[in-house]
Amino acid sequence: MESIFHEKQEGSLCAQHCLNNLLQGEYFSPVELSSIAHQLDEEERMRMAEGGVTSDDYRTFLQPSGNMDDSGFFSIQVISNALKVWGLELILFNSPEYQRLGIDPINEKSFICNYKEHWFTVRKLGKQWFNLNSLLTGPELISDTYLALFLAQLQQEGYSIFVVKGDLPDCEADQLLQMIRVQQMQRPKLIGEELAQLKDQRVHRTDLERVLEANDGSGMLDEEEEDLQRALALSRQEIDMEDEEADLRRAIQLSMQGSSRNMSQDIPQTSSTDLTSEELRKRREAYFEKQQQEQQRRQQQQQQQQVDAPGQVSRPCEKPATSSGALGNDLDDAMSEEDMLQAAVTMSLETVQNNLKTERKK
């Protein structure tokens, strides 16, 4: 396919592209075709002047040329005269005279098609047919079985089809394709379709760049931002919980320090700052459990005294030894010391908690 010459559309120069694609080379330029058009205009003017320069027909003819215009369009007369330089002739394909000949299109060499001022070439190169329309991004392969259907479809759409008669100049593509046959996996697109796809890609790329700029170039999507916010919130909650646990641990330690003076000497005196929260909790539970057991013993002793017969003097029971040491010499002293100890622990806890709250507020 690379060896096939194919001019793509520029402006309204489809007649130039049609001729060059037919001849497989840059044989004609807009200047050369304009020169042919001016020559045709002058010949037509001279013929019209024979009827008188003052006639209405002559005045009408003096209007802008019908063989070319400023956009680059050229008439069939310009194309026909350009081909005559190469000894080529155009015959209308759908004319009654040509149809009576009954020639199979496959046996021809090339066609020129026109519809609404657009020209393009269908030519045989080697043993295969190609649509060399300048509006396509490249040559389009046409099979032999599809050629007749393709031309018939063009006629139904209103195209004028001309058969090119004569020997075309030799070209590299024709010589190469005489020896090999090509296959086309994907048909070429119209130039307008290709430009539309490129435009869509540019728009998509621009939208993506705007999204990236809106996210400060990080490319982070909304879902990722929400996940990050949730992670930060959870981390803040964990920090707050750790602060509260630390405050509670300090309060327990201070309370245990305040009550350690009244605990049994049998328990080794260990700095509370060296103990874990679990050890502190266990020691605190053991202390209050012993206090509860002592109170139950006192209640049982009082009940026993009430059961004794009148007149009998009940002997005071000996206080059982506990791991916390002696709590007093008599029941009243023991109860007063216990009340004082509990009050001291409560006051120490309240004082520590208030101090911690004040520090945190600062």
Side-chain angles (χ1 to χ4, degrees):
M1 288 289 190
E2 291 78 7
S3 62
I4 300 176
F5 181 86
H6 182 259
E7 277 189 358
K8 296 181 181 180
Q9 187 72 23
E10 292 183 6
S12 298
L13 298 176
C14 55
Q16 170 194 325
H17 306 320
C18 174
L19 289 170
N20 290 338
N21 290 339
L22 172 68
L23 301 174
Q24 284 294 287
E26 297 180 358
Y27 290 96
F28 291 99
S29 66
V31 176
E32 295 171 341
L33 295 179
S34 297
S35 176
I36 296 174
H38 286 304
Q39 183 178 355
L40 290 173
D41 289 341
E42 184 63 21
E43 293 176 356
E44 293 175 359
R45 187 190 66 79
M46 293 178 62
R47 287 196 298 269
M48 294 297 298
E50 295 177 356
V53 294
T54 60
S55 64
D56 295 335
D57 293 338
Y58 183 78
R59 292 175 181 177
T60 303
F61 177 78
L62 293 178
Q63 298 299 320
S65 172
N67 292 305
M68 61 171 294
D69 58 23
D70 295 335
S71 67
F73 168 77
F74 295 97
S75 65
I76 182 63
Q77 288 81 8
V78 175
I79 294 176
S80 179
N81 278 269
L83 291 177
K84 287 179 179 179
V85 177
W86 296 92
L88 301 174
E89 181 182 2
L90 294 179
I91 300 176
L92 190 61
F93 175 72
N94 53 357
S95 64
E97 292 79 9
Y98 185 80
Q99 292 296 324
R100 281 196 297 266
L101 297 177
I103 301 177
D104 191 342
I106 297 178
N107 297 325
E108 301 291 353
K109 296 180 180 179
S110 59
F111 300 92
I112 288 180
C113 308
N114 170 258
Y115 179 67
K116 292 185 177 180
E117 300 183 352
H118 178 67
W119 301 91
F120 71 91
T121 294
V122 177
R123 174 172 172 172
K124 191 174 186 179
L125 293 169
K127 299 178 181 180
Q128 295 174 285
W129 285 90
F130 295 90
N131 177 11
L132 303 179
N133 194 334
S134 58
L135 294 178
L136 296 175
T137 57
E140 179 184 14
L141 180 63
I142 301 176
S143 64
D144 293 347
T145 56
Y146 181 67
L147 177 63
L149 181 60
F150 177 73
L151 296 176
Q153 181 179 355
L154 292 178
Q155 290 181 349
Q156 291 180 357
E157 293 176 358
Y159 276 83
S160 298
I161 302 175
F162 299 89
V163 181
V164 180
K165 289 293 187 178
D167 295 330
L168 294 169
D170 294 334
C171 63
E172 179 183 358
D174 185 60
Q175 295 176 357
L176 181 62
L177 293 176
Q178 290 286 348
M179 298 180 292
I180 62 174
R181 296 180 66 89
V182 298
Q183 293 182 351
Q184 192 170 44
M185 304 302 297
Q186 185 177 3
R187 294 186 178 277
K189 298 179 181 179
L190 291 172
I191 293 177
E193 294 178 355
E194 185 181 41
L195 293 176
Q197 290 181 353
L198 293 175
K199 183 178 180 181
D200 292 341
Q201 292 176 359
R202 288 195 297 267
V203 171
H204 178 72
R205 184 166 56 253
T206 303
D207 293 341
L208 181 59
E209 292 174 354
R210 291 177 180 174
V211 172
L212 295 177
E213 291 176 358
N215 288 280
D216 297 331
S218 63
M220 184 179 296
L221 301 178
D222 294 339
E223 295 181 358
E224 295 179 354
E225 291 180 353
E226 293 177 359
D227 294 341
L228 178 60
Q229 294 297 331
R230 285 196 293 269
L232 292 176
L234 290 175
S235 65
R236 286 194 294 267
Q237 291 178 1
E238 292 176 356
I239 292 173
D240 294 339
M241 293 176 63
E242 291 177 358
D243 292 341
E244 292 178 359
E245 292 178 356
D247 294 341
L248 181 59
R249 185 178 301 173
R250 290 171 59 187
I252 294 175
Q253 291 174 355
L254 290 173
S255 67
M256 291 300 296
Q257 288 176 2
S259 61
S260 62
R261 302 186 191 95
N262 300 319
M263 296 186 67
S264 174
Q265 295 179 356
D266 296 338
I267 301 176
Q269 299 294 323
T270 307
S271 175
S272 62
T273 57
D274 297 333
L275 299 177
T276 63
S277 60
E278 183 65 21
E279 293 174 346
L280 291 172
R281 184 183 62 79
K282 290 181 179 180
R283 288 194 177 190
R284 189 172 181 82
E285 290 178 355
Y287 170 74
F288 285 111
E289 183 179 357
K290 291 175 182 178
Q291 293 293 326
Q292 186 177 4
Q293 292 176 357
E294 185 65 27
Q295 186 176 1
Q296 290 177 356
R297 292 190 185 95
R298 294 194 195 99
Q299 292 176 356
Q300 292 176 359
Q301 184 179 6
Q302 291 176 359
Q303 292 176 358
Q304 185 66 32
Q305 289 176 356
Q306 293 176 359
V307 171
D308 290 342
Q312 293 183 355
V313 179
S314 60
R315 291 179 299 177
C317 297
E318 294 182 0
K319 289 183 292 184
T322 61
S323 62
S324 61
L327 297 175
N329 294 323
D330 54 18
L331 181 61
D332 295 336
D333 293 339
M335 292 177 65
S336 62
E337 289 179 2
E338 178 185 359
D339 294 338
M340 291 176 64
L341 178 59
Q342 292 180 352
V345 171
T346 303
M347 291 178 64
S348 63
L349 286 172
E350 292 178 353
T351 302
V352 170
Q353 291 177 354
N354 291 332
N355 291 337
L356 291 175
K357 291 180 180 180
T358 302
E359 291 177 1
R360 294 185 67 183
K361 290 181 179 180
K362 291 180 180 181

